[in-house]
Structures are given as structure tokens and as C-alpha cells.
Amino acid sequence: MPFDTIEGRRIEAHRPQPRIVVNEDGWLAVASRVAAGDWTLLGLWGDVGAAHMAILDESAGDIAVVTIECPSGRFPSVGALHPPAIRLERAVRDLFGLEPVGLSDARPWLDLGFWGVTHPLGARGDAPSARVPYTFLPTEGEGLHQIPVGPVHAGIIEPGHFRFTANGETVVRLSSGWATCTRGSSP
């Protein structure tokens, strides 16, 4: 089994893939293997009091689920080592209130204050009375211009707000403002 090197408590009844509960060192060891390209990150999600990641060993064709319990509401950021995990961690933070320690992008991903609650899938709380404006990543340079698109656009995806930064016909950055739009509100 390719995941025998992961130290932790095996959950025997977990099917169809093995599940291993690890401590912070184990979580970071797995994240390091993902960042090194040894394993592929298939998913990263939250739960009440825990974060999970599904990993794939492509050479063996095996999948495992790795869990870190978060009694303090915090877990080490996978995105700090493997940037594709950043948006997933932002969603975990917004939905469950679990804080990825070391996350390089602290902007909200899903919760921009429209829901009336914070962390709707975790320990729910009242929404803050004032929204923090969403900060788009900056682009600087001569000849650049920004094209805002949304919330309604001609694509087939859900409503959203996007900012295309272009230099002539070349798009140099595409920023997404939020995953879904509520009643035509914009950040």
C-alpha cells in the first residue's frame, strides 16, 4: 500500500478508500508529498472540527483520505506548500470557520457577508454588521485596463463577478470576485 508511510490512526470502517487521522506533522508531511508531486491532491474539505484531504498515488492507482482534527479551529495550510489548495482552504474557512494557518490569501472565497450568518456549515454565528470590501489582486503596468464582467454574463456558468485585466487583446489576469451573486449585489 503506497500510503503505509503516513503515520496516524487508521479508521478501519472507512470505505471504499482508507482514511488516516494524522497530527499536524503528519498533515504537513502529506502536504509536502503533494507539493513535491509524489501524490495528487484530489480534494480538500472541512467538517465540523476537522479538515480532510483526498490524495491519489497515480503510480499505484490508490486513493486515501487524510484527516486532521481541529479542536482549536485551526490546521496547517496545505496551500502554503501547494498553491492549488488555496481556494479550497478559503472555502473551508468561509463555510466551517476552520482557519488554515499560513494561508497566503486571506480574502474570503464564498462568504462576503450576504448570508446573514458566518460559517453556515460549522459553528454558526451572526454575520458581521459591515462587509469588508473584496480586494482584487492588483495588476500594474503601462497600457493595462480592467474589464468588469457580471454578475450576469453570456457564459453557461453560474452568476459571478470577474475582472479581466488586459493589455490590448492579451488578458494578463482574470480575477474572480465571488463564487455566487446574491440579488445583484456586487463587492
Side-chain angles (χ1 to χ4, degrees), residues 7-187:
E7 292 186 30
R9 179 173 39 96
R10 264 79 176 150
I11 306 300
E12 298 303 325
H14 194 268
R15 300 281 185 264
Q17 309 305 335
R19 179 174 162 222
I20 307 158
V21 179
V22 298
N23 60 20
E24 286 188 17
D25 290 337
W27 183 261
L28 288 171
V30 170
S32 295
R33 297 282 306 266
V34 168
D38 299 335
W39 297 330
T40 301
L41 179 67
L42 296 178
L44 193 148
W45 65 99
D47 200 350
V48 175
H52 312 275
M53 69 174 130
I55 54 174
L56 166 69
D57 182 327
E58 291 186 51
S59 62
D62 287 332
I63 296 172
V65 175
V66 178
T67 298
I68 183 167
E69 295 170 339
C70 308
S72 66
R74 301 162 60 94
F75 65 97
S77 172
V78 175
L81 300 172
H82 186 61
I86 292 172
R87 287 184 176 169
L88 299 171
E89 288 180 337
R90 289 168 64 192
V92 166
R93 186 199 53 225
D94 289 352
L95 294 172
F96 293 94
L98 301 174
E99 186 63 37
V101 177
L103 179 64
S104 62
D105 188 347
R107 297 175 301 156
W109 181 244
L110 300 172
D111 184 2
L112 295 171
F114 299 116
W115 295 341
V117 298
T118 59
H119 317 304
L121 301 178
R124 296 169 65 121
D126 291 335
S129 58
R131 283 187 307 173
V132 175
Y134 188 86
T135 305
F136 285 91
L137 297 176
T139 51
E140 297 175 0
E142 191 173 323
L144 294 180
H145 60 280
Q146 226 176 49
I147 306 164
V149 178
V152 178
H153 51 85
I156 57 172
I157 61 172
E158 71 278 352
H161 182 81
F162 306 93
R163 301 243 176 131
F164 293 86
T165 301
N167 184 352
E169 293 184 15
T170 303
V171 175
V172 294
R173 170 167 280 159
L174 169 61
S175 300
S176 172
W178 68 89
T180 57
C181 170
T182 303
R183 285 178 250 137
S185 300
S186 62

